[in-house]
PDB file of all heavy atoms in Angstrom:
ATOM      1  N   GLU M   9      96.276  36.818  97.069  1.00  0.00           N
ATOM      2  CA  GLU M   9      97.752  37.050  97.244  1.00  0.00           C
ATOM      3  C   GLU M   9      98.495  36.838  96.022  1.00  0.00           C
ATOM      4  O   GLU M   9      98.240  35.809  95.259  1.00  0.00           O
ATOM      5  CB  GLU M   9      98.306  36.086  98.273  1.00  0.00           C
ATOM      6  CG  GLU M   9      98.159  36.597  99.722  1.00  0.00           C
ATOM      7  CD  GLU M   9      98.861  37.827  99.928  1.00  0.00           C
ATOM      8  OE1 GLU M   9      99.951  37.976  99.450  1.00  0.00           O
ATOM      9  OE2 GLU M   9      98.276  38.744 100.650  1.00  0.00           O
ATOM     10  N   VAL M  17      96.418  35.778 107.990  1.00  0.00           N
ATOM     11  CA  VAL M  17      96.205  35.393 109.464  1.00  0.00           C
ATOM     12  C   VAL M  17      96.034  36.594 110.234  1.00  0.00           C
ATOM     13  O   VAL M  17      96.781  37.573 110.051  1.00  0.00           O
ATOM     14  CB  VAL M  17      97.422  34.484 109.919  1.00  0.00           C
ATOM     15  CG1 VAL M  17      98.738  35.292 109.801  1.00  0.00           C
ATOM     16  CG2 VAL M  17      97.234  34.081 111.341  1.00  0.00           C
ATOM     17  N   ALA M  18      95.122  36.606 111.078  1.00  0.00           N
ATOM     18  CA  ALA M  18      94.937  37.764 111.962  1.00  0.00           C
ATOM     19  C   ALA M  18      95.776  37.522 113.288  1.00  0.00           C
ATOM     20  O   ALA M  18      96.791  38.068 113.442  1.00  0.00           O
ATOM     21  CB  ALA M  18      93.484  37.933 112.273  1.00  0.00           C
ATOM     22  N   PHE M  25      96.623  23.850 109.706  1.00  0.00           N
ATOM     23  CA  PHE M  25      97.206  24.903 108.945  1.00  0.00           C
ATOM     24  C   PHE M  25      97.987  24.368 107.677  1.00  0.00           C
ATOM     25  O   PHE M  25      99.176  24.097 107.776  1.00  0.00           O
ATOM     26  CB  PHE M  25      98.119  25.601 109.857  1.00  0.00           C
ATOM     27  CG  PHE M  25      98.850  26.703 109.233  1.00  0.00           C
ATOM     28  CD1 PHE M  25      98.220  27.827 108.841  1.00  0.00           C
ATOM     29  CD2 PHE M  25     100.260  26.631 109.137  1.00  0.00           C
ATOM     30  CE1 PHE M  25      98.850  28.915 108.123  1.00  0.00           C
ATOM     31  CE2 PHE M  25     100.904  27.721 108.599  1.00  0.00           C
ATOM     32  CZ  PHE M  25     100.238  28.791 108.127  1.00  0.00           C
ATOM     33  N   SER M  69     115.744  47.366  96.814  1.00  0.00           N
ATOM     34  CA  SER M  69     116.959  48.045  97.368  1.00  0.00           C
ATOM     35  C   SER M  69     116.727  48.382  98.774  1.00  0.00           C
ATOM     36  O   SER M  69     115.601  48.521  99.301  1.00  0.00           O
ATOM     37  CB  SER M  69     117.065  49.305  96.525  1.00  0.00           C
ATOM     38  OG  SER M  69     116.198  50.410  97.088  1.00  0.00           O
ATOM     39  N   ILE M  97     110.330  30.286 102.252  1.00  0.00           N
ATOM     40  CA  ILE M  97     110.554  31.100 103.471  1.00  0.00           C
ATOM     41  C   ILE M  97     109.169  31.475 104.002  1.00  0.00           C
ATOM     42  O   ILE M  97     108.339  31.852 103.268  1.00  0.00           O
ATOM     43  CB  ILE M  97     111.371  32.408 103.033  1.00  0.00           C
ATOM     44  CG1 ILE M  97     112.693  31.975 102.442  1.00  0.00           C
ATOM     45  CG2 ILE M  97     111.497  33.299 104.208  1.00  0.00           C
ATOM     46  CD1 ILE M  97     113.459  33.153 101.996  1.00  0.00           C
ATOM     47  N   ASP M 105     102.113  34.313 119.285  1.00  0.00           N
ATOM     48  CA  ASP M 105     101.657  33.867 120.601  1.00  0.00           C
ATOM     49  C   ASP M 105     101.682  32.350 120.691  1.00  0.00           C
ATOM     50  O   ASP M 105     100.704  31.712 120.244  1.00  0.00           O
ATOM     51  CB  ASP M 105     100.300  34.484 120.917  1.00  0.00           C
ATOM     52  CG  ASP M 105      99.803  34.065 122.319  1.00  0.00           C
ATOM     53  OD1 ASP M 105     100.625  33.517 123.056  1.00  0.00           O
ATOM     54  OD2 ASP M 105      98.716  34.495 122.677  1.00  0.00           O
ATOM     55  N   THR M 110      95.105  27.934 119.405  1.00  0.00           N
ATOM     56  CA  THR M 110      94.749  27.707 118.019  1.00  0.00           C
ATOM     57  C   THR M 110      96.027  27.715 117.125  1.00  0.00           C
ATOM     58  O   THR M 110      95.993  27.463 115.920  1.00  0.00           O
ATOM     59  CB  THR M 110      93.730  28.624 117.462  1.00  0.00           C
ATOM     60  OG1 THR M 110      94.163  29.976 117.621  1.00  0.00           O
ATOM     61  CG2 THR M 110      92.414  28.501 118.227  1.00  0.00           C
ATOM     62  N   PHE M 111      97.128  28.130 117.669  1.00  0.00           N
ATOM     63  CA  PHE M 111      98.403  28.208 116.886  1.00  0.00           C
ATOM     64  C   PHE M 111      99.181  26.877 117.088  1.00  0.00           C
ATOM     65  O   PHE M 111      99.756  26.591 118.126  1.00  0.00           O
ATOM     66  CB  PHE M 111      99.244  29.357 117.385  1.00  0.00           C
ATOM     67  CG  PHE M 111     100.609  29.389 116.846  1.00  0.00           C
ATOM     68  CD1 PHE M 111     100.819  29.215 115.431  1.00  0.00           C
ATOM     69  CD2 PHE M 111     101.692  29.760 117.590  1.00  0.00           C
ATOM     70  CE1 PHE M 111     102.071  29.260 114.913  1.00  0.00           C
ATOM     71  CE2 PHE M 111     102.975  29.811 117.063  1.00  0.00           C
ATOM     72  CZ  PHE M 111     103.154  29.613 115.651  1.00  0.00           C
ATOM     73  N   GLN M 130     120.354  47.407 116.999  1.00  0.00           N
ATOM     74  CA  GLN M 130     120.297  48.828 117.251  1.00  0.00           C
ATOM     75  C   GLN M 130     119.324  49.204 118.353  1.00  0.00           C
ATOM     76  O   GLN M 130     119.197  50.347 118.776  1.00  0.00           O
ATOM     77  CB  GLN M 130     119.992  49.673 115.999  1.00  0.00           C
ATOM     78  CG  GLN M 130     121.003  49.604 114.889  1.00  0.00           C
ATOM     79  CD  GLN M 130     120.778  50.542 113.698  1.00  0.00           C
ATOM     80  OE1 GLN M 130     119.944  51.495 113.894  1.00  0.00           O
ATOM     81  NE2 GLN M 130     121.467  50.355 112.605  1.00  0.00           N
ATOM     82  N   ILE M 172     131.436  43.632 117.842  1.00  0.00           N
ATOM     83  CA  ILE M 172     132.017  42.453 118.565  1.00  0.00           C
ATOM     84  C   ILE M 172     131.487  42.278 119.893  1.00  0.00           C
ATOM     85  O   ILE M 172     131.110  41.095 120.371  1.00  0.00           O
ATOM     86  CB  ILE M 172     133.562  42.605 118.567  1.00  0.00           C
ATOM     87  CG1 ILE M 172     134.085  42.440 117.095  1.00  0.00           C
ATOM     88  CG2 ILE M 172     134.212  41.527 119.454  1.00  0.00           C
ATOM     89  CD1 ILE M 172     135.541  42.946 116.990  1.00  0.00           C
ATOM     90  N   ARG M 176     129.232  39.147 121.337  1.00  0.00           N
ATOM     91  CA  ARG M 176     129.655  38.423 122.483  1.00  0.00           C
ATOM     92  C   ARG M 176     128.595  38.333 123.567  1.00  0.00           C
ATOM     93  O   ARG M 176     128.261  37.288 124.053  1.00  0.00           O
ATOM     94  CB  ARG M 176     130.906  39.008 123.070  1.00  0.00           C
ATOM     95  CG  ARG M 176     131.712  38.213 124.094  1.00  0.00           C
ATOM     96  CD  ARG M 176     132.579  39.055 124.995  1.00  0.00           C
ATOM     97  NE  ARG M 176     131.726  40.083 125.624  1.00  0.00           N
ATOM     98  CZ  ARG M 176     130.943  39.865 126.630  1.00  0.00           C
ATOM     99  NH1 ARG M 176     130.729  38.695 127.147  1.00  0.00           N
ATOM    100  NH2 ARG M 176     130.295  40.912 127.285  1.00  0.00           N
ATOM    101  N   LEU M 194     121.590  22.398 122.448  1.00  0.00           N
ATOM    102  CA  LEU M 194     120.881  23.124 121.436  1.00  0.00           C
ATOM    103  C   LEU M 194     121.852  24.109 120.873  1.00  0.00           C
ATOM    104  O   LEU M 194     122.301  25.106 121.565  1.00  0.00           O
ATOM    105  CB  LEU M 194     119.586  23.859 121.995  1.00  0.00           C
ATOM    106  CG  LEU M 194     118.600  24.394 121.044  1.00  0.00           C
ATOM    107  CD1 LEU M 194     117.338  24.693 121.769  1.00  0.00           C
ATOM    108  CD2 LEU M 194     119.075  25.601 120.250  1.00  0.00           C
ATOM    109  N   VAL M 216     121.185  28.463 103.791  1.00  0.00           N
ATOM    110  CA  VAL M 216     120.624  27.645 102.761  1.00  0.00           C
ATOM    111  C   VAL M 216     121.484  26.450 102.455  1.00  0.00           C
ATOM    112  O   VAL M 216     121.053  25.328 102.254  1.00  0.00           O
ATOM    113  CB  VAL M 216     120.394  28.529 101.496  1.00  0.00           C
ATOM    114  CG1 VAL M 216     119.989  27.635 100.300  1.00  0.00           C
ATOM    115  CG2 VAL M 216     119.280  29.481 101.791  1.00  0.00           C
ATOM    116  N   LYS M 261     167.689  25.439  77.328  1.00  0.00           N
ATOM    117  CA  LYS M 261     166.712  26.580  77.630  1.00  0.00           C
ATOM    118  C   LYS M 261     165.286  26.036  77.585  1.00  0.00           C
ATOM    119  O   LYS M 261     164.420  26.453  78.257  1.00  0.00           O
ATOM    120  CB  LYS M 261     166.933  27.663  76.697  1.00  0.00           C
ATOM    121  CG  LYS M 261     168.093  28.573  77.006  1.00  0.00           C
ATOM    122  CD  LYS M 261     168.129  29.777  76.123  1.00  0.00           C
ATOM    123  CE  LYS M 261     169.301  30.709  76.616  1.00  0.00           C
ATOM    124  NZ  LYS M 261     169.567  31.735  75.557  1.00  0.00           N
ATOM    125  N   GLU M 289     147.270  21.144 103.673  1.00  0.00           N
ATOM    126  CA  GLU M 289     147.956  22.420 103.920  1.00  0.00           C
ATOM    127  C   GLU M 289     149.337  22.449 103.360  1.00  0.00           C
ATOM    128  O   GLU M 289     149.972  21.399 103.300  1.00  0.00           O
ATOM    129  CB  GLU M 289     148.015  22.597 105.499  1.00  0.00           C
ATOM    130  CG  GLU M 289     146.798  22.820 106.137  1.00  0.00           C
ATOM    131  CD  GLU M 289     146.244  24.306 105.931  1.00  0.00           C
ATOM    132  OE1 GLU M 289     147.077  25.079 105.459  1.00  0.00           O
ATOM    133  OE2 GLU M 289     145.066  24.512 106.053  1.00  0.00           O
TER     134      GLU M 289
END
Side-chain angles (χ1 to χ4, degrees):
E9 274 299 319
V17 58
F25 179 66
S69 81
I97 298 178
D105 182 4
T110 60
F111 171 40
Q130 293 188 14
I172 293 166
R176 192 204 57 73
L194 194 165
V216 172
K261 283 189 178 166
E289 288 289 342

